[in-house]
């Protein structure tokens, strides 16, 4: 099959002089192919690229309509024109229905009339092909756009999901994330307990994006320090005029989070009134906006954050027992940063590059000494304190590689703290691991506590613990316990 830059027209007629006349009228503008029968025309169509057919109606064997009907079945894009001396309405209707005839050209035809019909037919063929091309492109673009949209959604879910919780392969957070992943697929209320700044809201967001509610809103509110009036407005919303200065209706978070997830942090700070109101929402699945007269239903998932111990708060009467159990169908304890030693370097580096991108400053990272100091600090302010320290280091950095000289003095000089969940025995007694591993953790903490209390006088520490000085030194080396002040330890006795 060959193709030409000019449109190709096939002329089909059993009269030689008719073929010659049509060729003469059209050959200046088109490539012309001729056939004196339907069979010969079919052979040409299988070998040549044809845009338009002019076919005589009355031919031996098959009529023009019969031939063009076959053409329509095999090459529907070809524009088909009948040349006939008869214009019976019945024949015309049959031709249009059966063969999809574009135009009837009556004999005798004028050369200009024939040429105009050919040009219009060729233009129609070109436009039809262009329309098909554009339709395919639009379909492809639509599919591509959907694919890109789905990819963006997937990337967003990954960035906001569990993959966004940075941690090392040996991190304590791995068990926390696995537990959260299990709870995420079950539509129940979950309580996240842990110190302030440990990333409870980020974990709640990750659970939302791993749940069946992922396509719906995730909203968050920290209740700590907010007065009841503001909390009511934020959670329940208000009708116009219900609050001084409110000129329009205010939609609350309970309504905005419908079919999505609402995270409430600091629930231990809720007043008795707000605890009762929240309990009513959980029990009835509906709430009344301020100044409203009709309850609004909301199908939301509630994830709460708590600073403190749930059962202690309920025992002390600071948290309603029914509310405490209602918000804790699932419970997850988020460890403090000082209990995630292997994660600090990863988190600090991520904070550094985020801050560098935000402030437009080029950095390469931290040197090993700086990372060592950051890893060994207890971070009582958890992730927020780490982010602040890294940003401060970035501000004062003169070189792309940040060194320990940029670290705040209180971090460089700090002794390991003795407060917090990781210093208590409960996490060790309840965590996973062999008996040997868990006993060694207890032993390491006792050694560190005793050495710190005796200001790293090894003789005094050994005497209290009933160890020889050689035995104490061996344990210090075994556990890699270092004096955080950097001073040389003494073994002198009083």
């Amino acid at each position: 099959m060959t193709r030409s830059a000019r449109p190709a027209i096939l002329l089909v007629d059993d009269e030689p002089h008719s073929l010659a006349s049509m060729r003469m009228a059209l050959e200046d503008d088109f490539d012309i192919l001729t056939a004196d029968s339907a069979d010969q025309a079919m052979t040409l169509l299988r070998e040549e690229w044809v845009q338009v057919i002019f076919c005589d109606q009355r031919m031996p064997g098959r009529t023009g309509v019969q031939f063009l009907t076959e053409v329509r079945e095999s090459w529907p894009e070809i524009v088909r024109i009948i040349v006939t001396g008869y214009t019976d309405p019945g024949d015309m209707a049959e031709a249009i229905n059966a063969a999809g005839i574009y135009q009837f050209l009556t004999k005798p035809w004028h050369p200009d009339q024939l040429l105009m019909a050919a040009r219009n037919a060729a233009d129609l063929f070109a436009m039809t092909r262009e329309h098909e091309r554009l339709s395919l492109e639009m379909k492809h673009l639509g599919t591509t756009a959907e694919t890109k949209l789905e990819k963006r959604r997937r990337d967003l879910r990954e960035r906001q999901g569990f993959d966004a919780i940075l941690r090392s392969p040996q991190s304590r957070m791995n068990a926390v994330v696995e537990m959260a992943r299990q709870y995420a697929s079950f539509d129940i209320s979950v309580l996240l307990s842990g110190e302030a700044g440990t990333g409870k809201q980020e974990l709640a967001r990750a659970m939302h994006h791993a749940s069946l509610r992922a396509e719906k809103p995730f909203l968050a509110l920290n209740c700590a320090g907010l007065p009841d009036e503001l909390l009511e407005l934020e959670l329940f919303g208000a009708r116009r005029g219900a609050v001084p200065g409110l000129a329009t209706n205010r939609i609350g978070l309970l309504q905005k989070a419908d079919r999505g997830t609402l995270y409430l942090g600091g629930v231990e700070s809720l007043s008795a009134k707000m605890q009762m109101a929240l309990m009513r929402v959980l029990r009835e699945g509906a709430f009344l906006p301020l100044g409203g007269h009709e309850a609004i239903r909301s199908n939301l998932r509630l994830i709460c954050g708590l600073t403190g111990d749930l059962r202690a708060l309920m025992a002390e009467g600071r948290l309603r027992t029914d509310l405490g159990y209602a918000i804790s169908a699932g419970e997850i304890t988020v460890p403090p940063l000082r209990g995630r030693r292997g994660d600090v370097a990863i988190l600090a580096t991520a904070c550094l590059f985020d801050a560098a991108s935000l402030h437009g400053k080029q950095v390469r990272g931290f040197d090993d000494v700086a990372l060592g100091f950051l890893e060994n600090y207890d971070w009582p302010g958890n992730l927020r304190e780490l982010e602040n320290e890294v940003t401060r280091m970035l501000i004062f950095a003169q070189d792309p590689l940040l060194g320990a000289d940029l670290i705040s003095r209180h971090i460089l000089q700090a002794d390991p703290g003795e407060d917090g969940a990781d210093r208590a025995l409960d996490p060790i007694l309840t965590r996973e691991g062999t008996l040997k591993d868990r006993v060694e953790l207890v032993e390491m903490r006792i050694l560190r506590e005793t050495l710190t209390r005796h200001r790293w006088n090894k003789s005094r520490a050994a005497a209290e613990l009933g160890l020889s000085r050689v035995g104490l030194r061996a344990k210090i080396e075994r556990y890699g316990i270092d004096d955080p002040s950097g001073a040389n330890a003494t073994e002198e006795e009083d």
Side-chain angles (χ1 to χ4, degrees), residues 173-474:
M173 282 298 294
N174 291 329
V176 172
V177 167
E178 286 308 309
M179 187 180 297
R181 198 187 300 274
Q182 291 294 322
Y183 281 135
S185 58
F186 290 86
D187 209 23
I188 61 172
S189 297
V190 178
L191 178 67
L192 307 179
S193 60
E195 297 178 9
T198 51
K200 296 188 288 293
Q201 181 173 321
E202 289 70 22
L203 186 62
R205 186 189 305 275
M207 293 176 64
H208 167 75
H209 286 286
S211 73
L212 297 176
R213 298 175 179 260
E215 298 298 328
K216 299 303 179 181
F218 173 83
L219 301 173
L221 177 66
N222 188 355
C223 303
L226 295 181
D228 286 357
E229 295 76 13
L230 185 55
L231 271 175
E232 288 178 322
L233 182 61
E234 289 292 332
L235 290 175
F236 306 124
R239 297 305 182 199
R240 182 176 57 186
V243 177
L246 188 64
T248 59
N249 290 338
R250 172 76 174 268
I251 299 176
L253 294 178
L254 292 174
Q255 185 174 354
K256 291 180 180 178
D258 184 31
R259 295 186 293 170
T261 304
L262 176 61
Y263 172 76
L264 293 181
V267 292
E268 74 281 356
S269 66
L270 292 175
S271 67
K273 173 186 175 182
M274 290 305 301
Q275 290 184 39
M276 184 179 297
L278 183 58
M279 188 62 221
R280 189 178 302 117
V281 172
L282 292 173
R283 186 186 300 116
E284 300 174 3
F287 63 94
L288 194 65
L290 297 177
H293 302 288
E294 184 176 349
I296 297 176
R297 301 199 64 81
S298 181
N299 175 19
L300 59 83
R301 181 186 194 178
L302 184 66
I303 300 179
C304 292
L306 181 76
T307 301
D309 180 79
L310 172 65
R311 284 155 188 81
L313 290 168
M314 291 192 297
E316 296 167 5
R318 295 172 54 191
L319 191 69
R320 290 173 59 101
T321 303
D322 55 354
L323 177 62
Y325 287 123
I327 64 176
S328 61
E331 290 186 68
I332 301 175
T333 300
V334 183
L337 194 53
R338 62 182 170 276
R340 301 171 56 185
R341 297 292 183 187
D343 296 350
V344 173
I346 297 172
L347 293 165
T349 303
C351 289
L352 176 63
F353 286 113
D354 287 344
S357 175
L358 178 63
H359 298 289
K361 195 167 184 177
Q362 295 294 323
V363 294
R364 285 169 38 209
F366 300 98
D367 65 22
D368 292 340
V369 177
L371 285 178
F373 275 106
L374 296 177
E375 280 279 3
N376 290 324
Y377 179 58
D378 269 356
W379 302 107
N382 294 300
L383 293 171
R384 295 171 189 166
E385 184 184 5
L386 177 63
E387 291 171 359
N388 291 343
E389 179 63 23
V390 169
T391 301
R392 196 198 64 80
M393 292 176 67
L394 174 70
I395 291 172
F396 290 100
Q398 301 298 317
D399 299 313
L401 191 64
L402 280 63
D405 58 302
L406 297 169
I407 298 176
S408 299
R409 292 183 63 182
H410 72 278
I411 295 177
L412 295 175
Q413 300 174 0
D415 290 336
E418 296 302 324
D419 299 323
D422 70 319
R423 303 300 181 204
L425 284 179
D426 284 349
I428 297 175
L429 296 176
T430 58
R431 69 179 294 171
E432 295 181 358
T434 65
L435 176 62
K436 178 176 178 292
D437 292 339
R438 292 156 74 180
V439 169
E440 286 181 347
L441 280 174
V442 175
E443 185 177 65
M444 180 180 65
R445 291 185 178 180
I446 292 173
L447 286 169
R448 184 167 55 190
E449 179 271 327
T450 305
L451 285 164
T452 301
R453 184 158 41 81
H454 287 290
R455 298 184 180 180
W456 278 75
N457 185 307
K458 294 181 182 178
S459 295
R460 296 177 189 171
E464 179 178 320
L465 295 170
L467 299 170
S468 67
R469 286 178 294 180
V470 174
L472 178 60
R473 282 201 304 270

Side-chain angles (χ1 to χ4, degrees), residues 146-157:
E146 289 177 4
T147 302
K148 289 181 178 178
L149 178 60
E150 180 55 35
K151 183 178 184 300
R152 285 197 296 269
R153 287 176 174 171
R154 185 175 64 253
D155 291 343
L156 179 63
R157 286 194 295 268

